[in-house]
Amino acid sequence: MMQKVFPIRSANAPAPDHDGLPLADTLGRGLRDLRISVTDRCNFRCVYCMPREVFDHDFKFVAHDEVLSFEEIARVARVFAGLGVKKVRLTGGEPLVRRDLHRLVAMLAEIPGLDLTLTTNGSLLPKQALALANAGLKRVTVSLDSLDDATFRALNDADFPVARVIEGIEAAAAAGMAPIKINMVVKRGVNDHQIVDAARHWRTEGRGRGHILRFIEFMDVGSTNGWRMDDVIPSAEVVRRISAAFPLEPAEANYAGEVAERWRYRDGAGEIGVVSSVTQAFCRDCNRMRLSTEGSLYTCLFAQQGHDLKALLRGGAADDAIRDSIAAVWRLRDDRYSEIRTAETAKAPKVEMSYIGG
Ligand code: SAM
């Protein structure tokens, strides 16, 4: 296997060009992507994300009148597009549990030049894929951590079967969405023995259809998932294990700041991606802002605090004022959590991923 040389992204590396984007933060990073959490609710209780012991009947989700409306979200997205944002990802929580999400998709699809996508657990795609595609959604990412039914049901802790998620992926493909990316979070001792099986399945199923399997390192997001470094399978190991069965070679990034590193099967059977936010931090290239369910801005997945935008939105502010407020938050940004992560920082209280959007 060809050894990939990972770029060094140390704190002392020169600040990168911010890619011609109009706004730059204190480390020279441009603003390119926006992730929007349309709901902090989910119909799964994945043990590494929304453990049932914490997200139980007593858990206080964001109250309905505090959740941004579709009109508010679309307005913010338009302002972001004016600031140079090229890509919007709808996420959550589970975005498809938000009623009539296709209406929001239709509003966002009207914004010129915006690459719109969505991350979902796939459970509701069989019902919604066509409406979403008709509304203008061209591609989708589906999370599926295991093809083994018992392992998957235990991981989602909602007794949800693999077959139904695969039905969702098929429904999205039949509705014309492509590429379909499949996210697999890998946790040592839980599903890492299925890495090669997953690669085998999706290189066969995805052949010629543009499906791309992506392996995600288990992260210390939020404060509830009991993260330990020992549970992380480094992406380099994922690549090594797959390459022993199906030789891989590195592929070029599609664009600067792309989250997943691409690896191509040497026999032409497509590609995989690895997202290594623990072992190969990519803070230096991070060009993402997040909008929480209730309208706060976050510049890091591991943040402890956000910046309220909803007061402006609901207080009658003009678009210019909203734009200036977003720009001010970005210009002051200096976070690079994954580069300075230690066992101690991992224990710090952080906002939950379901709230700011995964
Ligand atoms: N409900 C949707 C879904 O399941 O894809 C969207 C939200 S979910 C928070 C987005 C992505 O984050 C999923 O692929 C999920 O597996 C991933 N994720 C959640 N917690 C994670 C963690 N601790 N480490 C790595 N990835 C995580």
Side-chain angles (χ1 to χ4, degrees):
M1 169 189 130
M2 186 191 290
Q3 196 59 48
K4 180 153 191 172
V5 181
F6 287 102
I8 297 164
R9 289 154 169 168
S10 81
N12 299 324
D17 174 0
H18 54 90
D19 208 17
L21 296 164
L23 257 187
D25 70 7
T26 63
L27 298 175
R29 298 170 292 195
L31 171 60
R32 184 182 189 281
D33 288 9
L34 173 66
R35 296 199 177 181
I36 302 174
S37 175
V38 295
T39 177
D40 59 340
R41 292 159 200 260
C42 187
N43 54 345
F44 283 13
R45 285 293 175 272
C46 296
V47 293
Y48 55 77
C49 186
M50 294 180 74
R52 198 171 278 285
E53 317 80 81
V54 178
F55 294 87
D56 59 9
H57 285 301
D58 298 327
F59 186 82
K60 296 262 174 297
F61 289 99
V62 175
H64 287 292
D65 56 348
E66 297 298 328
V67 173
L68 291 192
S69 68
F70 289 165
E71 287 71 20
E72 287 169 330
I73 292 174
R75 181 180 176 205
V76 174
R78 244 178 275 117
V79 173
F80 267 98
L83 280 167
V85 159
K86 309 265 182 262
K87 177 171 156 192
V88 166
R89 178 177 297 280
L90 300 179
T91 177
E94 170 48 43
L96 301 189
V97 302
R98 177 99 186 239
R99 186 179 304 184
D100 294 337
L101 190 78
H102 61 93
R103 282 209 309 112
L104 175 63
V105 167
M107 290 165 151
L108 297 176
E110 276 179 10
I111 302 175
L114 209 59
D115 174 18
L116 178 63
T117 185
L118 175 147
T119 304
T120 172
N121 61 29
S123 61
L124 298 169
L125 269 179
K127 278 192 192 137
Q128 297 187 25
L130 196 56
L132 291 165
N134 288 342
L137 189 67
K138 297 201 170 48
R139 59 195 192 87
V140 72
T141 298
V142 181
S143 303
L144 180 56
D145 298 327
S146 175
L147 292 166
D148 173 70
D149 209 47
T151 309
F152 184 60
R153 284 178 195 254
L155 264 170
N156 65 53
D157 203 11
D159 204 26
F160 201 86
V162 170
R164 192 83 179 123
V165 178
I166 297 211
E167 235 179 89
I169 292 170
E170 290 304 326
M177 290 186 217
I180 296 181
K181 293 182 182 164
I182 295 136
N183 276 0
M184 174 169 171
V185 176
V186 184
K187 191 170 172 189
R188 190 181 299 280
V190 175
N191 62 347
D192 66 299
H193 59 294
Q194 290 156 5
I195 290 171
V196 177
D197 286 348
R200 180 180 297 108
H201 178 87
W202 291 114
R203 42 180 259 125
T204 311
E205 283 300 308
R207 205 167 189 138
R209 304 170 75 200
H211 295 2
I212 302 171
L213 177 60
R214 305 182 332 156
F215 295 89
I216 302 180
E217 289 180 348
F218 173 48
M219 295 183 287
D220 53 327
V221 289
S223 312
T224 57
N225 72 3
W227 184 87
R228 295 177 321 142
M229 187 63 208
D230 287 353
D231 294 332
V232 178
I233 302 277
S235 293
E237 190 176 330
V238 171
V239 170
R240 220 171 11 248
R241 287 196 205 177
I242 296 175
S243 211
F246 311 109
L248 288 163
E249 62 190 10
E252 286 303 305
N254 288 312
Y255 57 87
E258 187 174 29
V259 172
E261 285 195 340
R262 301 172 61 210
W263 290 80
R264 195 172 26 230
Y265 290 113
R266 287 192 169 188
D267 64 2
E271 65 181 78
I272 61 156
V274 290
V275 180
S276 326
S277 73
V278 177
T279 62
Q280 294 289 335
F282 39 80
C283 304
R284 293 298 296 182
D285 297 327
C286 178
N287 49 27
R288 279 171 294 289
M289 181 97 104
R290 290 180 151 82
L291 179 67
S292 79
T293 309
E294 57 181 338
S296 288
L297 298 172
Y298 288 83
T299 55
C300 181
L301 181 54
F302 302 94
Q304 300 185 13
Q305 248 184 327
H307 307 262
D308 179 38
L309 198 65
K310 191 173 60 193
L312 279 181
L313 282 171
R314 297 199 175 166
D319 284 1
D320 285 0
I322 291 168
R323 186 201 55 214
D324 292 350
S325 176
I326 296 169
V329 169
W330 189 262
R331 283 202 185 94
L332 286 176
R333 175 186 188 217
D334 62 359
D335 46 53
R336 49 186 191 92
Y337 176 87
S338 292
E339 288 182 349
I340 56 171
R341 173 188 286 107
T342 62
E344 285 313 302
T345 59
K347 286 186 212 144
K350 296 179 232 91
V351 70
E352 292 300 328
M353 195 172 188
S354 46
Y355 170 76
I356 56 169

